[in-house]
Amino acid sequence: MSGLRLNLQAIKEPLGFIKALEWLTAIFAFASCGGYSGTSIVTLFCKDGKNETLKFAFSYPFRLSHTLLVKNNTSLCNVTVPETHLVGSSVSSSQFFVTVAVLNFFYCMAALVLYLGYMHVYRNSNFVPKMDFLMTTIFAVFWLTCTSAWAKGLQNLKYATGTVGIVATLAVCREEGVACEVTELASMRSLNVSVIFGFLGLILWVSNAWFVYKETRWHTMRYTAHPGQAPRSI
């Protein structure tokens, strides 16, 4: 009774179909964030009419304090500038987001194997559906917290690598007659997409919680304990 019984019908039901969507969402979420790297160029407009350029690259996990902006004792606009790094860090929020997405990926794979090959065991068990419901609820909470944290971390990243953040970090930009501007900003489209997939994952897991709950004995006992009654006459 507990052997493998391949049944693709489960993927056509909301329980399996939503799980497949969650699996795809997890792939796009961690790929769009964890695989990111970008390069920006800062232009310094000096008072003598000469322009200077700086190039810096940053990537996941966005440990900006390790990203070198200016090498030690570099002359910019006739001003000697000490070694300068970017300010800020989005390490914790980005790594939390990617970790949740990866765990989501593996759990969805395991759940799909269970649904497609062992649905008869799943529906005859009291413990397995309850654990599935518990894990679904936990992942829904994780998606909410990690995506919210990463959305804030991305906002901080955009500030630190934008013109306002660079001017605040680089002292020479505040010298009289010197203006700084990020003239080539690294595209963060994929990072924006990762946040979208994060909130999409949240919606899918919250939606899926209901269908998983219906497979538990809690749902069954609720209706057997309170059988429908005929409406009272007025």
Coordinates of all heavy atoms in Angstrom, one line a residue, residues 98-136:
V98 N 17.4 34.7 -0.4 CA 17.9 33.6 -1.2 C 17.8 32.2 -0.5 O 17.4 31.2 -1.0 CB 19.4 33.8 -1.7 CG1 19.9 32.6 -2.3 CG2 19.4 35.0 -2.6
T99 N 18.1 32.2 0.8 CA 18.0 31.0 1.6 C 16.6 30.5 1.6 O 16.3 29.3 1.5 CB 18.5 31.3 3.1 OG1 19.9 31.6 3.0 CG2 18.4 30.0 3.9
V100 N 15.6 31.4 1.9 CA 14.2 31.0 1.9 C 13.8 30.4 0.5 O 13.1 29.4 0.4 CB 13.3 32.2 2.3 CG1 11.8 31.8 2.1 CG2 13.5 32.5 3.8
A101 N 14.2 31.1 -0.5 CA 13.9 30.6 -1.9 C 14.5 29.2 -2.2 O 13.8 28.4 -2.8 CB 14.4 31.6 -2.9
V102 N 15.7 29.0 -1.7 CA 16.3 27.7 -2.0 C 15.6 26.6 -1.2 O 15.4 25.5 -1.7 CB 17.8 27.8 -1.6 CG1 18.5 26.4 -1.6 CG2 18.6 28.7 -2.6
L103 N 15.3 26.9 0.1 CA 14.6 25.9 0.9 C 13.2 25.6 0.3 O 12.8 24.5 0.3 CB 14.5 26.4 2.4 CG 15.8 26.5 3.2 CD1 15.5 27.2 4.5 CD2 16.4 25.1 3.3
N104 N 12.6 26.7 -0.2 CA 11.3 26.6 -0.8 C 11.4 25.6 -2.1 O 10.6 24.7 -2.3 CB 10.9 27.9 -1.3 CG 9.5 28.0 -1.9 OD1 8.7 28.9 -1.6 ND2 9.1 27.0 -2.7
F105 N 12.5 25.8 -2.8 CA 12.7 25.0 -4.0 C 12.8 23.5 -3.6 O 12.2 22.7 -4.3 CB 14.0 25.4 -4.7 CG 14.5 24.6 -5.8 CD1 14.0 24.6 -7.0 CD2 15.6 23.7 -5.5 CE1 14.5 23.8 -8.1 CE2 16.1 22.9 -6.5 CZ 15.5 22.9 -7.8
F106 N 13.6 23.2 -2.6 CA 13.8 21.8 -2.3 C 12.5 21.2 -1.6 O 12.2 20.0 -1.9 CB 15.0 21.6 -1.3 CG 16.3 21.7 -2.0 CD1 17.1 22.8 -1.7 CD2 16.7 20.8 -2.9 CE1 18.4 22.9 -2.3 CE2 17.9 20.9 -3.6 CZ 18.8 22.0 -3.3
Y107 N 11.8 22.0 -0.8 CA 10.6 21.5 -0.2 C 9.5 21.2 -1.3 O 8.8 20.2 -1.2 CB 10.0 22.4 0.8 CG 8.8 21.9 1.5 CD1 8.9 20.9 2.5 CD2 7.5 22.4 1.1 CE1 7.8 20.4 3.1 CE2 6.4 21.9 1.7 CZ 6.5 20.9 2.7 OH 5.4 20.4 3.3
C108 N 9.4 22.1 -2.2 CA 8.4 21.9 -3.3 C 8.7 20.6 -4.1 O 7.8 19.9 -4.5 CB 8.4 23.1 -4.2 SG 7.6 24.5 -3.5
M109 N 10.0 20.4 -4.4 CA 10.4 19.2 -5.1 C 10.0 17.9 -4.3 O 9.4 17.0 -4.9 CB 11.9 19.1 -5.3 CG 12.4 20.1 -6.4 SD 14.1 19.9 -6.8 CE 14.2 18.2 -7.3
A110 N 10.2 17.9 -3.0 CA 9.9 16.8 -2.2 C 8.4 16.6 -2.1 O 7.8 15.5 -2.2 CB 10.4 17.0 -0.8
A111 N 7.6 17.7 -2.0 CA 6.2 17.7 -1.9 C 5.6 17.1 -3.2 O 4.6 16.3 -3.2 CB 5.6 19.0 -1.6
L112 N 6.1 17.6 -4.4 CA 5.6 17.1 -5.7 C 5.9 15.6 -5.9 O 5.0 14.9 -6.4 CB 6.3 17.9 -6.8 CG 5.8 19.3 -7.0 CD1 6.7 20.1 -8.0 CD2 4.4 19.4 -7.4
V113 N 7.0 15.1 -5.4 CA 7.3 13.7 -5.4 C 6.2 12.9 -4.6 O 5.7 11.9 -5.0 CB 8.7 13.4 -4.9 CG1 8.9 11.9 -4.7 CG2 9.7 13.9 -5.9
L114 N 5.9 13.5 -3.4 CA 4.9 12.9 -2.6 C 3.5 12.9 -3.2 O 2.8 11.9 -3.2 CB 4.9 13.6 -1.2 CG 3.9 13.2 -0.2 CD1 4.2 11.7 0.2 CD2 3.9 14.1 1.0
Y115 N 3.2 14.0 -3.8 CA 1.8 14.2 -4.4 C 1.7 13.2 -5.6 O 0.6 12.6 -5.8 CB 1.6 15.6 -4.9 CG 1.5 16.6 -3.7 CD1 1.6 18.0 -4.0 CD2 1.3 16.2 -2.4 CE1 1.6 18.9 -3.0 CE2 1.3 17.2 -1.4 CZ 1.4 18.5 -1.7 OH 1.3 19.5 -0.7
L116 N 2.7 13.2 -6.5 CA 2.6 12.5 -7.7 C 2.9 11.0 -7.6 O 2.3 10.2 -8.4 CB 3.6 13.0 -8.7 CG 3.4 14.5 -9.1 CD1 4.5 14.9 -10.1 CD2 2.1 14.7 -9.8
G117 N 3.6 10.6 -6.5 CA 3.9 9.1 -6.4 C 3.3 8.5 -5.2 O 3.2 7.2 -5.2
Y118 N 3.0 9.2 -4.2 CA 2.5 8.6 -2.9 C 1.2 9.4 -2.4 O 1.0 9.5 -1.2 CB 3.6 8.7 -1.9 CG 4.9 8.0 -2.3 CD1 5.9 8.6 -2.9 CD2 5.0 6.6 -2.0 CE1 7.0 7.9 -3.3 CE2 6.1 5.9 -2.4 CZ 7.1 6.6 -3.0 OH 8.3 5.9 -3.4
M119 N 0.4 9.8 -3.3 CA -0.8 10.5 -2.9 C -1.7 9.6 -2.0 O -2.4 10.0 -1.1 CB -1.6 11.0 -4.1 CG -2.8 11.8 -3.7 SD -2.5 13.2 -2.5 CE -1.9 14.4 -3.7
H120 N -1.7 8.3 -2.4 CA -2.5 7.3 -1.6 C -2.1 7.2 -0.1 O -2.8 7.1 0.8 CB -2.5 5.9 -2.2 CG -1.1 5.4 -2.4 ND1 -0.2 5.9 -3.3 CD2 -0.5 4.3 -1.8 CE1 0.9 5.2 -3.2 NE2 0.8 4.2 -2.3
V121 N -0.7 7.4 0.1 CA -0.2 7.4 1.4 C -0.6 8.7 2.1 O -0.9 8.8 3.3 CB 1.3 7.2 1.4 CG1 1.9 7.3 2.8 CG2 1.7 5.8 0.8
Y122 N -0.4 9.8 1.3 CA -0.7 11.1 1.9 C -2.1 11.2 2.4 O -2.4 11.7 3.5 CB -0.5 12.1 0.8 CG -0.6 13.6 1.1 CD1 0.5 14.3 1.6 CD2 -1.9 14.2 1.0 CE1 0.3 15.7 1.9 CE2 -2.0 15.6 1.4 CZ -0.9 16.3 1.8 OH -1.0 17.6 2.2
R123 N -3.1 10.8 1.6 CA -4.5 10.9 2.0 C -5.0 9.9 3.0 O -6.0 10.1 3.7 CB -5.4 10.9 0.8 CG -5.2 12.2 0.0 CD -6.1 12.3 -1.2 NE -6.1 13.7 -1.7 CZ -6.3 14.0 -3.0 NH1 -6.5 13.0 -3.9 NH2 -6.3 15.2 -3.4
N124 N -4.2 8.8 3.2 CA -4.5 7.8 4.3 C -3.8 8.1 5.6 O -4.0 7.4 6.5 CB -4.2 6.4 3.8 CG -5.2 6.0 2.7 OD1 -6.3 6.4 2.7 ND2 -4.7 5.2 1.8
S125 N -3.0 9.1 5.6 CA -2.2 9.4 6.8 C -2.8 10.6 7.5 O -3.4 11.5 7.0 CB -0.7 9.8 6.4 OG 0.0 10.3 7.5
N126 N -2.7 10.6 8.8 CA -3.1 11.6 9.7 C -2.0 12.7 9.9 O -2.2 13.9 10.0 CB -3.6 11.1 11.0 CG -4.1 12.2 12.0 OD1 -4.7 13.2 11.5 ND2 -3.9 12.0 13.3
F127 N -0.8 12.2 10.0 CA 0.4 13.0 10.3 C 0.9 13.8 9.1 O 1.2 15.0 9.3 CB 1.5 12.1 10.9 CG 2.8 12.9 11.1 CD1 2.9 13.7 12.2 CD2 3.9 12.7 10.3 CE1 4.1 14.4 12.5 CE2 5.1 13.4 10.5 CZ 5.2 14.2 11.6
V128 N 1.1 13.2 8.0 CA 1.7 13.9 6.8 C 1.0 15.1 6.4 O 1.6 16.2 6.2 CB 1.9 12.9 5.7 CG1 2.5 13.6 4.4 CG2 2.8 11.7 6.1
P129 N -0.4 15.1 6.2 CA -1.0 16.3 5.8 C -0.9 17.5 6.8 O -0.8 18.6 6.4 CB -2.5 15.9 5.6 CG -2.4 14.5 5.3 CD -1.3 14.0 6.2
K130 N -0.9 17.1 8.1 CA -0.7 18.1 9.1 C 0.7 18.8 9.1 O 0.8 20.0 9.2 CB -1.0 17.5 10.5 CG -2.4 17.2 10.8 CD -2.6 16.6 12.2 CE -4.1 16.2 12.5 NZ -4.3 15.7 13.8
M131 N 1.7 17.9 8.8 CA 3.0 18.5 8.7 C 3.1 19.3 7.4 O 3.8 20.4 7.4 CB 4.0 17.3 8.6 CG 4.4 16.7 10.0 SD 5.0 17.9 11.1 CE 6.5 18.5 10.3
D132 N 2.5 18.9 6.4 CA 2.5 19.7 5.1 C 1.8 21.1 5.4 O 2.3 22.1 4.9 CB 1.7 18.9 4.0 CG 1.9 19.6 2.7 OD1 2.9 20.3 2.5 OD2 1.1 19.2 1.8
F133 N 0.7 21.1 6.1 CA 0.0 22.3 6.4 C 0.9 23.2 7.3 O 1.0 24.4 7.1 CB -1.3 22.0 7.1 CG -2.0 23.3 7.6 CD1 -2.6 24.1 6.7 CD2 -2.1 23.6 8.9 CE1 -3.2 25.3 7.1 CE2 -2.7 24.8 9.4 CZ -3.3 25.6 8.4
L134 N 1.6 22.6 8.3 CA 2.5 23.4 9.2 C 3.6 24.0 8.4 O 3.9 25.2 8.5 CB 3.1 22.5 10.3 CG 4.1 23.1 11.2 CD1 3.4 24.2 12.0 CD2 4.6 22.0 12.2
M135 N 4.3 23.2 7.5 CA 5.4 23.7 6.7 C 4.9 24.8 5.7 O 5.6 25.8 5.4 CB 6.0 22.6 5.9 CG 6.8 21.6 6.7 SD 8.1 22.4 7.7 CE 9.1 23.0 6.4
T136 N 3.7 24.6 5.1 CA 3.1 25.7 4.3 C 2.9 27.0 5.0 O 3.2 28.1 4.4 CB 1.8 25.2 3.7 OG1 2.0 23.9 3.0 CG2 1.2 26.2 2.7

